[in-house]
Short mmCIF file of all heavy atoms in Angstrom, two decimals:
data_model
loop_
_atom_site.label_atom_id
_atom_site.label_comp_id
_atom_site.label_asym_id
_atom_site.label_seq_id
_atom_site.Cartn_x
_atom_site.Cartn_y
_atom_site.Cartn_z
N ALA K 194 -9.05 11.32 1.21
CA ALA K 194 -8.09 11.87 2.15
C ALA K 194 -8.59 11.54 3.56
O ALA K 194 -9.08 12.38 4.31
CB ALA K 194 -7.99 13.39 1.97
N SER K 195 -8.43 10.27 3.88
CA SER K 195 -9.04 9.69 5.09
C SER K 195 -8.11 9.76 6.29
O SER K 195 -6.90 9.81 6.14
CB SER K 195 -9.39 8.23 4.78
OG SER K 195 -9.76 7.52 5.93
N LYS K 196 -8.70 9.70 7.45
CA LYS K 196 -7.93 9.60 8.71
C LYS K 196 -7.71 8.14 9.11
O LYS K 196 -7.19 7.88 10.18
CB LYS K 196 -8.66 10.35 9.84
CG LYS K 196 -8.79 11.85 9.61
CD LYS K 196 -7.44 12.53 9.67
CE LYS K 196 -7.58 14.01 9.41
NZ LYS K 196 -6.31 14.65 9.07
N PHE K 197 -8.13 7.22 8.27
CA PHE K 197 -8.06 5.81 8.61
C PHE K 197 -6.82 5.09 8.08
O PHE K 197 -6.82 3.90 7.89
CB PHE K 197 -9.33 5.09 8.19
CG PHE K 197 -10.52 5.43 9.06
CD1 PHE K 197 -11.44 6.37 8.65
CD2 PHE K 197 -10.66 4.85 10.31
CE1 PHE K 197 -12.49 6.72 9.47
CE2 PHE K 197 -11.74 5.17 11.14
CZ PHE K 197 -12.64 6.12 10.72
N TYR K 198 -5.77 5.85 7.73
CA TYR K 198 -4.54 5.23 7.19
C TYR K 198 -3.42 5.18 8.24
O TYR K 198 -2.27 4.90 7.90
CB TYR K 198 -4.04 6.00 5.96
CG TYR K 198 -5.04 6.18 4.84
CD1 TYR K 198 -5.02 7.32 4.06
CD2 TYR K 198 -5.97 5.18 4.54
CE1 TYR K 198 -5.94 7.49 3.00
CE2 TYR K 198 -6.87 5.34 3.50
CZ TYR K 198 -6.85 6.49 2.75
OH TYR K 198 -7.74 6.65 1.71
N GLY K 199 -3.75 5.45 9.49
CA GLY K 199 -2.73 5.60 10.54
C GLY K 199 -1.75 4.45 10.66
O GLY K 199 -0.52 4.64 10.55
N PRO K 200 -2.22 3.19 10.90
CA PRO K 200 -1.25 2.09 11.07
C PRO K 200 -0.38 1.89 9.84
O PRO K 200 0.82 1.61 9.96
CB PRO K 200 -2.16 0.87 11.30
CG PRO K 200 -3.44 1.46 11.86
CD PRO K 200 -3.62 2.77 11.17
N PHE K 201 -0.97 2.08 8.67
CA PHE K 201 -0.21 1.93 7.42
C PHE K 201 0.96 2.92 7.38
O PHE K 201 2.07 2.58 6.97
CB PHE K 201 -1.14 2.14 6.22
CG PHE K 201 -0.44 2.11 4.88
CD1 PHE K 201 -0.41 0.96 4.12
CD2 PHE K 201 0.19 3.25 4.36
CE1 PHE K 201 0.21 0.92 2.90
CE2 PHE K 201 0.83 3.22 3.16
CZ PHE K 201 0.85 2.06 2.41
N ARG K 202 0.67 4.15 7.77
CA ARG K 202 1.72 5.18 7.69
C ARG K 202 2.83 4.91 8.70
O ARG K 202 3.99 5.26 8.47
CB ARG K 202 1.12 6.58 7.85
CG ARG K 202 0.29 6.96 6.64
CD ARG K 202 -0.27 8.35 6.74
NE ARG K 202 -1.18 8.61 5.62
CZ ARG K 202 -1.96 9.68 5.51
NH1 ARG K 202 -1.97 10.58 6.47
NH2 ARG K 202 -2.72 9.83 4.45
N ILE K 203 2.48 4.25 9.82
CA ILE K 203 3.54 3.82 10.73
C ILE K 203 4.36 2.73 10.07
O ILE K 203 5.60 2.76 10.08
CB ILE K 203 2.91 3.31 12.06
CG1 ILE K 203 2.21 4.46 12.79
CG2 ILE K 203 3.99 2.68 12.94
CD1 ILE K 203 1.42 4.03 14.02
N ALA K 204 3.68 1.78 9.41
CA ALA K 204 4.37 0.67 8.73
C ALA K 204 5.35 1.17 7.68
O ALA K 204 6.41 0.59 7.47
CB ALA K 204 3.36 -0.31 8.13
N CYS K 205 4.96 2.21 6.95
CA CYS K 205 5.77 2.69 5.85
C CYS K 205 6.56 3.94 6.18
O CYS K 205 7.28 4.46 5.32
CB CYS K 205 4.90 2.99 4.64
SG CYS K 205 4.14 1.55 3.92
N ASP K 206 6.42 4.47 7.37
CA ASP K 206 7.01 5.74 7.76
C ASP K 206 6.73 6.77 6.67
O ASP K 206 7.62 7.39 6.09
CB ASP K 206 8.53 5.58 7.97
CG ASP K 206 9.16 6.84 8.52
OD1 ASP K 206 8.41 7.68 9.06
OD2 ASP K 206 10.38 6.98 8.41
N SER K 207 5.43 6.95 6.35
CA SER K 207 5.07 7.77 5.21
C SER K 207 4.11 8.89 5.55
O SER K 207 3.37 9.35 4.68
CB SER K 207 4.43 6.86 4.12
OG SER K 207 3.24 6.29 4.62
#
Side-chain angles (χ1 to χ4, degrees):
S195 169
K196 295 293 179 197
F197 287 99
Y198 304 146
F201 176 97
R202 290 182 186 171
I203 295 172
C205 293
D206 187 18
S207 63

